[in-house]
């Protein structure tokens, strides 16, 4: 019987459970805007009942949030992710890929349970922060693990497939916002509770997946005593055989021998975390891509997707439905990239995606120049946010521009960035180097999330969108000048390319 490349080269069950960490990351992005919307944590418009405080206790409370406070709640996940990424920098290659994901799963479960069940506001904040710690561990380990167990011909598809899970999580988060929207004051608890159930499934499933064979070989050649090295060699062979179903044992042994030889050539002993700094080219590529994907604005926009649609003149329920539509479009765009990344390559998709983002931002910038107040006699700066509208012809065009924008991100930056950083770092420093890239990612995302609402209010949305457009132009030049094409190369071939430029 002839099997598909994916079935032949990779057991999809480990991929599914590992990438659930990405789904849970996307899910919290999708629900955040709905958690703090009117009628959930935020008091409904015109509310005359009691308003909760930071320490007041009760399960039927609502609160008033400023733009900064909304940003602070949304950023708790990112703060936690940044902190756990810094832990990974020091300890990733001691923990191993599998244990990292298991730790992430436990933190997801605890964080979601604490937030969903808390009767006080500070407990919700704490739960979001704990959940964020899980994001850091899971999102650090997943691309490394998937890259290390995949063959060259499907590696791009599989790592990009993790991005599909993130976008699917966003879509499910938007869906949960719609489904629980009418449960006033309680719907947000159900939204977060769903994440706890998924985290439990993830934790159970990961217990039955094998460790990364490349990680086991790294431990074997990094100074293990003879008895331990022999055990690691056997474990690595058994693990790789599981991921190469239908492949002869001799071929598996040859692949392991090639990995072992490459490691012996490039690292005679275990590398410290700071050894990652000796590889400037992959660090510039990885950290540059994750920084640019944040400062072009799209991740921050997604945290506030519901409110952005409201500012375009849609009602609260229509805004949630529109956000659901954005999630669906993002999912379709990501599926296209997963389907074509190993055919077209990394650089062409980055160019196409950035061009689409630029076009979408140009439409948004122009459209938001025509905002007006629906209340006669009031200037825009005097108007309540719920009364700000666009002329009908521009309202529809704004939604179209946003769809083009987020689709472009999912064609390019979304899946390709994490694919590249999983590929370009040498194995002996991959854990710590990817941690540095993750810290830049979550740190810049945290900053953009905190500043998003303030920037929208002080600079106006059209100026903010124009700033993002400028960063898209910078991104295009960065990819053209620095980012290599890695399609069709083994990790060992890419490593030789990066090592050849070591110190440059």
């Amino acid at each position: 019987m002839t099997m598909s490349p994916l079935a032949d080269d990779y057991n999809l069950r480990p991929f599914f459970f590992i990438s659930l960490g990405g789904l849970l990351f996307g899910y919290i992005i999708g629900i955040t805007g709905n958690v703090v919307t009117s009628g959930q944590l935020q008091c409904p418009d015109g509310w005359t009942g009691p308003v909760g405080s930071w320490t007041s206790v009760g399960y039927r409370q609502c609160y008033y949030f400023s733009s900064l406070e909304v940003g602070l709640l949304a950023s708790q996940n990112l703060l936690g992710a940044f902190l756990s990424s810094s832990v990974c920098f020091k300890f990733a290659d001691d923990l191993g890929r599998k244990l990292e994901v298991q730790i992430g799963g436990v933190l997801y479960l605890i964080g979601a349970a604490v937030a969903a069940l808390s009767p006080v506001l500070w407990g919700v904040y704490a739960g979001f922060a704990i959940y964020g710690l899980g994001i850091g561990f899971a999102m650090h380990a997943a691309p490394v693990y998937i890259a290390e167990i995949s063959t060259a011909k499907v590696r791009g598809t599989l790592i990009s497939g993790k991005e599909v899970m993130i976008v699917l999580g966003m879509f499910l988060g938007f869906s949960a916002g719609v489904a629980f929207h009418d449960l006033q004051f309680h719907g947000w608890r159900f939204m977060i509770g769903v994440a706890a159930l998924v985290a439990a499934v993830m934790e159970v499933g990961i217990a039955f997946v094998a460790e990364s064979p490349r990680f086991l070989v790294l431990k074997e050649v990094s100074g293990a005593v003879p008895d331990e090295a022999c055990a690691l060699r056997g474990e690595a062979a058994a693990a790789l055989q599981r991921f190469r179903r239908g492949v002869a044992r001799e071929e598996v042994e040859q692949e392991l021998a090639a990995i072992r030889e490459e490691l012996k050539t490039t690292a005679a002993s275990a590398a410290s975390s700071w050894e990652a700094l000796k590889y400037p080219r992959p660090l510039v590529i990885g950290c540059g891509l994750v920084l640019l994907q944040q400062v072009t604005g799209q991740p921050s926009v997604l945290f506030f997707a519901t409110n952005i649609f409201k500012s375009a003149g849609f009602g609260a329920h229509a805004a949630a439905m529109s956000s659901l539509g954005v999630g669906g479009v993002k999912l379709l765009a990501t599926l296209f990239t997963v389907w074509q990344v190993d055919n077209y390559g990394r650089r062409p998709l980055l160019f196409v995606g950035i061009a689409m983002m630029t076009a979408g931002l140009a439409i948004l910038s122009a459209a938001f120049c025509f905002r007006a107040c629906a209340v006669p006699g009031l200037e825009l700066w005097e108007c309540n946010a719920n009364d700000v509208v666009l002329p009908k012809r521009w309202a529809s065009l704004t939604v179209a521009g946003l769809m083009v924008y987020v689709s472009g991100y999912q064609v390019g930056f979304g899946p390709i960035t994490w694919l590249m950083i999983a590929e370009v770092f040498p194995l002996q420093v991959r854990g710590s180097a990817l941690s540095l890239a993750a810290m830049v990612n979550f740190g810049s995302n945290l900053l953009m999330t905190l500043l998003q609402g303030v920037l929208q209010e002080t600079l106006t949305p059209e100026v903010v969108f124009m700033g993002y457009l400028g960063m898209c132009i910078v991104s295009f030049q960065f990819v053209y000048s620095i980012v290599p094409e890695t399609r069709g190369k083994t990790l060992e071939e890419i490593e030789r390319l990066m090592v050849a430029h070591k110190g440059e």
Side-chain angles (χ1 to χ4, degrees), residues 279 281-282 285 424 426 484 494-502:
Y279 298 88
R281 189 185 183 207
I285 293 168
V424 298
I494 298 170
E495 181 168 339
R496 284 193 290 272
L497 176 66
M498 294 295 108
V499 170
H501 290 80
K502 183 178 178 180

Side-chain angles (χ1 to χ4, degrees), residues 52-99:
S53 67
W54 180 251
T55 57
S56 58
V57 180
Y59 281 98
R60 191 173 173 81
Q61 297 188 92
C62 68
Y63 309 87
Y64 285 124
F65 296 96
S66 67
S67 296
L68 180 59
E69 288 169 333
V70 171
L72 285 171
L73 180 58
S75 67
Q76 293 304 299
N77 292 311
L78 300 173
L79 177 61
F82 178 84
L83 292 175
S84 55
S85 295
S86 64
V87 172
C88 291
F89 173 71
K90 180 64 177 176
F91 298 107
D93 289 327
D94 296 320
L95 295 173
R97 319 313 188 206
K98 178 178 175 178
L99 181 56

Side-chain angles (χ1 to χ4, degrees), residues 292-477:
L292 288 169
Q293 77 168 172
Q294 302 301 334
V295 298
T296 47
Q298 191 271 169
S300 299
V301 170
L302 266 226
F303 273 110
F304 299 95
T306 299
N307 291 331
I308 282 177
F309 276 102
K310 287 181 183 178
S311 71
F314 293 88
H317 195 69
M321 292 299 294
S322 298
S323 297
L324 185 59
V326 169
V329 170
K330 283 173 63 67
L331 183 59
L332 291 175
T334 309
L335 288 171
F336 169 80
T337 301
V338 171
W339 178 40
Q340 293 296 339
V341 66
D342 285 316
N343 294 324
Y344 292 153
R346 286 56 163 158
R347 279 167 56 91
L349 290 174
L350 280 171
F351 287 137
V352 171
I354 294 169
M356 292 175 65
M357 291 173 68
T358 304
L361 284 167
I363 295 172
L364 289 170
S365 299
F368 270 75
C369 289
F370 293 90
R371 293 183 306 151
C373 186
V375 180
L378 290 183
E379 297 294 331
L380 184 61
W381 61 272
E382 300 174 302
C383 196
N384 185 285
N386 291 327
D387 296 323
V388 175
V389 297
L390 289 166
K392 187 174 181 180
R393 64 184 184 279
W394 280 110
S396 299
L397 189 59
T398 303
V399 174
L402 186 57
M403 295 294 190
V404 171
Y405 177 43
V406 297
S407 296
Y409 178 87
Q410 294 308 139
V411 169
F413 272 137
I416 303 300
T417 295
W418 287 96
L419 168 58
M420 292 297 300
I421 63 177
E423 292 179 327
V424 298
F425 295 125
L427 176 57
Q428 67 270 21
V429 297
R430 188 170 292 145
S432 56
L434 199 144
S435 297
L436 286 174
M439 289 167 68
V440 172
N441 175 73
F442 291 120
S444 56
N445 197 339
L446 173 62
L447 181 63
M448 295 301 295
T449 301
L450 286 172
L451 293 178
Q452 176 71 15
V454 176
L455 289 175
Q456 294 276 359
E457 290 181 359
T458 57
L459 298 180
T460 72
E462 55 268 30
V463 174
V464 173
F465 291 142
M466 288 177 67
Y468 292 153
L469 189 154
M471 293 310 302
C472 282
I473 296 172
V474 173
S475 302
F476 199 95
Q477 181 61 39

Side-chain angles (χ1 to χ4, degrees), residues 2-281:
T2 301
M3 292 185 289
S4 71
L6 289 182
D8 190 32
D9 294 332
Y10 184 72
N11 188 329
L12 292 177
R13 184 167 52 192
F15 167 81
F16 173 76
F17 289 116
I18 293 293
S19 62
L20 280 180
L23 184 141
L24 286 166
F25 177 36
Y27 182 80
I28 202 70
I29 294 174
I31 67 171
T32 297
N34 294 294
V35 167
V36 294
T37 197
S38 174
Q40 295 301 322
L41 261 183
Q42 186 130 270
C43 293
D45 296 336
W47 176 251
T48 58
V51 177
S53 67
W54 180 251
T55 57
S56 58
V57 180
Y59 281 98
R60 191 173 173 81
Q61 297 188 92
C62 68
Y63 309 87
Y64 285 124
F65 296 96
S66 67
S67 296
L68 180 59
E69 288 169 333
V70 171
L72 285 171
L73 180 58
S75 67
Q76 293 304 299
N77 292 311
L78 300 173
L79 177 61
F82 178 84
L83 292 175
S84 55
S85 295
S86 64
V87 172
C88 291
F89 173 71
K90 180 64 177 176
F91 298 107
D93 289 327
D94 296 320
L95 295 173
R97 319 313 188 206
K98 178 178 175 178
L99 181 56
E100 264 194 80
V101 182
Q102 288 177 308
I103 293 171
V106 170
L107 291 168
Y108 274 140
L109 179 58
I110 294 173
V114 168
L117 299 175
S118 176
V120 292
L121 183 58
W122 64 261
V124 179
Y125 275 74
F128 270 53
I130 295 169
Y131 192 100
L133 293 173
I135 292 173
F137 282 108
M139 294 304 294
H140 173 268
V144 177
Y145 180 90
I146 296 169
E148 290 181 353
I149 67 175
S150 306
T151 61
K153 65 182 179 180
V154 297
R155 188 178 61 246
T157 297
L158 291 170
I159 299 177
S160 300
K162 176 193 69 68
E163 182 68 18
V164 171
M165 296 295 280
I166 295 175
V167 177
L168 179 60
M170 293 179 188
F171 182 79
L172 293 175
F174 291 140
S175 300
V178 174
F180 297 115
H181 179 270
D182 293 330
L183 294 178
Q184 194 174 66
F185 303 134
H186 294 302
W188 65 271
R189 295 186 186 276
F190 288 97
M191 297 177 205
I192 300 173
V194 169
L197 296 177
V198 177
V201 173
M202 171 184 167
E203 192 64 23
V204 172
I206 292 169
F208 298 96
V209 305
E211 179 60 274
S212 159
R214 280 182 167 87
F215 173 76
L216 294 170
V217 174
L218 175 63
K219 302 303 288 184
E220 174 200 339
V221 303
S222 298
V225 298
D227 288 347
E228 184 184 4
C230 182
L232 287 167
R233 190 178 301 115
E235 187 179 352
L240 188 59
Q241 189 71 63
R242 289 179 63 178
F243 298 124
R244 301 290 185 267
R245 293 180 299 170
V247 175
R249 185 173 181 82
E250 292 76 13
E251 292 183 47
V252 171
E253 291 293 345
Q254 289 174 5
E255 184 175 349
L256 281 174
I259 297 169
R260 192 174 292 112
E261 186 62 31
E262 185 66 28
L263 274 173
K264 289 180 178 178
T265 301
T266 56
S269 61
S272 72
S273 301
W274 297 104
E275 287 287 313
L277 300 180
K278 295 184 178 180
Y279 298 88
R281 189 185 183 207

